[in-house]
Amino acid sequence: MSPLARRRGANGSAAPTAPPAAVPEAEAYPLARVLRDDATADPAEVTLSDAELVALYRWMVLNRQLDERMVGLQRQGRIGFYIGSIGEEAAVFGTASAMAEQDWIFPCYREHGAALLRGLPLATFVCDLLGNAGDAMLGHQMPCHEAWRPGRFASISSPIGTQIPQAVGAAWAARIRREEMVSLVYFGEGATSSNDFHTGLNIAGVHKVPVVFACRNNGWAISVPRERQTAAATIAQKAVAYGLHGERVDGNDVLAVHAATRRARERALRGEGPSLLELVTYRLEGHSTSDDPRAYRPPEEVEPWRKKDPLLRLEAFLVKRGALDAAAGARLAAEAREQVQRAVQEAEAHPAKPPLETMFEGVYAEPLRPQREQLEELRRALADDPRVAGGRGT
């Protein structure tokens, strides 16, 4: 049989060939770590100073206190909805802290801490949850969908993955303008099944757009476990299909996350294209306050991850390094609780609703005639019956 015949099947079509021997996918993408189990690290791999590490720890503690307090407010009926990042703080702060001031951040919906890091006032964030007159979004968004333009923090969107092409487009535009800007975009592992994920990574790979794709692989897409979302052994290996650099990082190790993000940003600025970082972490609580994970997730799965809590790991490292004393964790937690409490009080002091006119603003530079007519119609309706629009005053 000729070599050509051997390569063809009985009907003349190309016969399948055995794939070349390859390293198993998970082994090809080993989990990058800096923090060891004994709370030490190779000094050569610690890229942050003690002061910077303590600052990161302080932010993570504040974020934890914020999440716990906001869940409490939702249970009291004082806010309608909350979605937090308990257990995933290292993935959020490790990435955001590695970016430069001129970079844009495109969040998923658990990265409130990144917005605070970029300067969003804590009370303004709480106002967003209340949708009151102090809300920077003027009540136009659902709770937990903040944006912060002064900090180059784009708006959170509910649809899965829509922020990915937005991040690619912004970075591509910046490169055309010869601006030194890199986009950082967050998403969960469930979003890697979305059209926008493939669209964004494909275009970014073809044009070597300066983007850092940060996938928080927290094990669950609401109630769907990771193994039911994709047959791929890792998320990082999906980078291969688009010609990207892929890397798998311990997402509960803030030092490893920071270092990987910094390397990805430097590659992007050198024109070497985007990177896909798979940050392996775990969602310790429910997807949101509308979700009860006890309905689909056994507690024995959760408990081992509590021992890998990113705050505990960083605190243990700092104490062993001599950068914190043993009581620092409790002291910083108390300070953070007080800070959050003050922000809640400040936010709740704002009028319950934004001015009526703001309902018709923000779409066009100046409201068009239909918007002006609708505003006048609403004012007349309110004059006739103040209960219209929930008793909103003019």
Side-chain angles (χ1 to χ4, degrees):
M1 183 180 292
S2 70
L4 178 62
R6 281 198 295 272
R7 289 198 298 270
R8 292 187 178 281
N11 62 359
S13 61
T17 56
V23 178
E25 290 89 344
E27 294 181 20
Y29 293 92
L31 198 65
R33 299 180 64 189
V34 173
L35 291 175
R36 304 178 182 129
D37 291 339
D38 63 355
T40 64
D42 181 346
E45 296 187 56
V46 180
T47 56
L48 295 168
S49 68
D50 283 1
E52 290 170 327
L53 289 168
V54 172
L56 267 182
Y57 175 71
R58 188 186 298 272
W59 276 111
M60 291 164 65
V61 169
L62 174 65
N63 199 79
R64 177 69 59 92
Q65 293 296 324
L66 176 68
D67 280 352
E68 292 178 351
R69 180 63 175 144
M70 293 305 106
V71 171
L73 289 187
Q74 194 278 334
R75 300 299 187 235
Q76 295 168 12
R78 293 160 70 180
I79 61 174
F81 175 80
Y82 192 72
I83 186 165
S85 59
I86 291 179
E88 302 178 50
E89 293 89 349
V92 174
F93 286 97
T95 43
S97 63
M99 305 303 289
E101 184 180 353
Q102 70 269 23
D103 298 330
W104 270 87
I105 293 178
F106 291 81
C108 177
Y109 41 55
R110 298 190 191 280
E111 295 81 20
H112 314 308
L116 299 176
L117 194 67
R118 285 298 183 95
L120 174 66
L122 193 52
T124 304
F125 172 70
V126 180
C127 285
D128 170 77
L129 304 178
L130 297 167
N132 66 15
D135 175 17
M137 309 302 289
L138 297 169
H140 290 189
Q141 279 273 34
M142 67 175 284
C144 280
H145 283 56
E146 73 274 13
W148 185 241
R149 186 181 179 87
R152 297 195 166 208
F153 186 89
S155 175
I156 290 173
S157 303
S158 287
I160 302 299
T162 53
Q163 70 276 19
I164 299 173
Q166 294 167 6
V168 174
W172 197 0
R175 197 183 64 183
I176 291 170
R177 294 172 177 168
R178 300 183 184 279
E179 296 172 357
E180 190 176 280
M181 191 282 279
V182 177
S183 288
L184 167 65
V185 56
Y186 294 97
F187 48 91
E189 79 285 349
T192 66
S193 304
S194 71
N195 291 340
D196 282 330
F197 171 80
H198 300 289
T199 301
L201 267 69
N202 190 56
I203 292 294
V206 168
H207 297 284
K208 293 191 180 301
V209 179
V211 183
V212 178
F213 297 100
C215 176
R216 286 181 295 89
N217 177 6
N218 66 12
W220 291 86
I222 307 184
S223 60
V224 180
R226 197 208 73 88
E227 60 270 18
R228 295 287 299 277
Q229 302 167 39
T230 177
T234 70
I235 301 297
Q237 71 194 70
K238 296 189 178 190
V240 174
Y242 303 104
L244 276 59
H245 172 83
E247 195 167 339
R248 197 159 172 259
V249 185
D250 183 342
N252 284 12
D253 178 346
V254 70
L255 277 71
V257 174
H258 180 92
T261 309
R262 178 178 285 184
R263 291 194 298 269
R265 183 178 187 276
E266 290 170 352
R267 277 194 298 272
L269 289 176
R270 289 196 300 265
E272 296 173 11
S275 300
L276 171 60
L277 304 181
E278 177 186 358
L279 310 174
V280 181
T281 180
Y282 193 78
R283 197 189 76 206
L284 287 176
E285 303 297 335
H287 171 72
S288 72
T289 50
S290 301
D291 171 53
D292 183 356
R294 294 173 299 179
Y296 53 82
R297 195 171 69 178
E300 56 268 25
E301 177 187 309
V302 183
E303 289 312 310
W305 282 96
R306 295 197 185 281
K307 298 176 182 175
K308 301 177 184 177
D309 187 317
L311 271 71
L312 298 179
R313 289 177 65 185
L314 181 56
E315 180 183 341
F317 170 73
L318 292 173
V319 169
K320 200 155 196 170
R321 190 178 172 89
L324 277 182
D325 60 61
R331 186 175 68 249
L332 289 177
E335 292 174 359
R337 276 195 296 273
E338 185 179 345
Q339 190 176 350
V340 172
Q341 181 60 23
R342 286 198 304 271
V344 172
Q345 291 172 347
E346 182 181 341
E348 290 186 326
H350 283 274
K353 296 178 180 176
L356 185 67
E357 292 76 9
T358 63
M359 288 180 64
F360 302 91
E361 296 173 349
V363 178
Y364 301 99
E366 296 291 337
L368 302 179
R369 188 178 67 183
Q371 285 87 55
R372 295 196 298 272
E373 291 175 348
Q374 290 166 14
L375 173 60
E376 291 308 313
E377 183 179 349
L378 182 56
R379 281 175 171 159
R380 288 194 296 272
L382 280 168
D384 293 340
D385 185 351
R387 292 173 298 177
V388 175
R392 183 191 296 266
T394 58

